[in-house]
Amino acid sequence: MMYHIVKYSGQFGFIKPWTAVRDSETFSQQFLTPSIVEGIEKKLFPELLQEQGIKKIRRHRLNYQGIDIQQEKTWAKGGISLYRDKGIWKSNLGILNRGVMLNPVLFLAFETGEDAQKAVKQSICLCRNEDLLFPEYVEQISGTDFDEIEGFELHFTDDTTGFKVGYNRFDNASEMYGELKVYGLPVRQ
C-alpha cells in the first residue's frame, strides 16, 4: 500500500490523558486516541462533520524532542470566587505543572494525494488550540517506509486486544481502546 503523508511540526504539544482530571502534575500523553484523530480529520475536512468515524487518515506517527515542565494557572470549574479566611482574602486559583512535548512532529498518512494536498494547506493542533502544528511537505511512500518513521502510533482496537484510552466524544462517549506501537526512537535528540 502506498500512502501520501503530510509532515506537521510545531514548538509545543500537549495531549491531556483522559485519566487526568485535576492532577497537580500531568505529563503529555504521547499518542493520539481515535477521537483525537477524528477531531483532526474533521478540522481538515469539514465536509465530514456530520459523519461518524475516521474516513481519510489511515495512519499517524508522533515523535518529539523532550518534555518540558510548564506551569499553568487554573480556576475552579465554577469560575473565579473570592472569599475571606481568617481575615485573609483568598481565591480558588490553582497552579498546575504540565509536562509538554517539545518540538512535536506528526505524520498523517492518507490514501489519496488529493486528501494530502488539502491537508498540507492547513495547520492543526493535537488537543490545545494554542499548540499549533504547521505543515511542511507531502510525500508519497510505501507502508513499509512509513513503518521506518520513528514515533508513537496507537493502533485502534477493542477491549479484547487493547487497553482503554478514554471515551469517544464523537460516539456517545463510548470507550476507546488501542495497542501502543513504538517505532524506533520516538524521543528525538
Side-chain angles (χ1 to χ4, degrees), residues 162-176:
F163 64 96
K164 190 172 182 179
V165 296
Y167 297 95
N168 193 330
R169 61 192 165 131
F170 296 110
D171 186 18
N172 297 314
S174 63
E175 295 177 334
M176 298 182 296

Side-chain angles (χ1 to χ4, degrees), residues 13-80:
F14 181 76
I15 303 171
K16 184 176 181 179
W18 70 278
T19 54
V21 180
R22 291 307 249 175
D23 297 343
S24 63
E25 190 164 352
T26 303
F27 290 95
S28 181
Q29 183 172 283
Q30 290 97 21
F31 58 87
L32 304 180
T33 65
S35 65
I36 294 171
V37 173
E38 186 171 348
I40 290 171
E41 184 176 275
K42 288 180 183 327
K43 190 273 181 197
L44 293 173
F45 306 97
E47 65 272 16
L48 299 176
L49 282 171
Q50 301 306 315
E51 296 188 34
Q52 189 175 357
I54 300 166
K55 308 289 186 207
K56 296 184 180 273
I57 298 173
R58 294 295 169 232
R59 296 196 55 198
H60 62 277
R61 191 67 46 80
L62 178 64
N63 62 55
Y64 59 94
Q65 278 189 317
I67 299 282
D68 182 54
I69 304 300
Q70 300 177 353
Q71 290 189 328
E72 186 173 316
K73 187 176 9 174
T74 64
W75 298 99
K77 188 174 183 177
I80 300 169

Side-chain angles (χ1 to χ4, degrees), residues 121-189:
K121 295 175 184 168
Q122 303 176 63
S123 62
I124 60 171
C125 59
L126 299 177
C127 284
R128 299 189 310 176
N129 59 7
E130 63 265 28
D131 295 339
L132 289 174
L133 299 183
F134 297 98
E136 290 188 22
Y137 61 77
V138 174
E139 180 180 12
Q140 186 175 7
I141 64 173
S142 69
T144 304
D145 288 339
F146 189 80
D147 286 340
E148 298 299 316
I149 297 173
E150 296 184 321
F152 295 101
E153 181 175 6
L154 186 73
H155 291 217
F156 309 145
T157 65
D158 58 25
D159 63 343
T160 60
T161 58
F163 64 96
K164 190 172 182 179
V165 296
Y167 297 95
N168 193 330
R169 61 192 165 131
F170 296 110
D171 186 18
N172 297 314
S174 63
E175 295 177 334
M176 298 182 296
Y177 296 88
E179 182 181 349
L180 186 61
K181 298 286 186 175
V182 180
Y183 295 87
L185 301 172
V187 181
R188 303 186 319 272
Q189 296 291 330

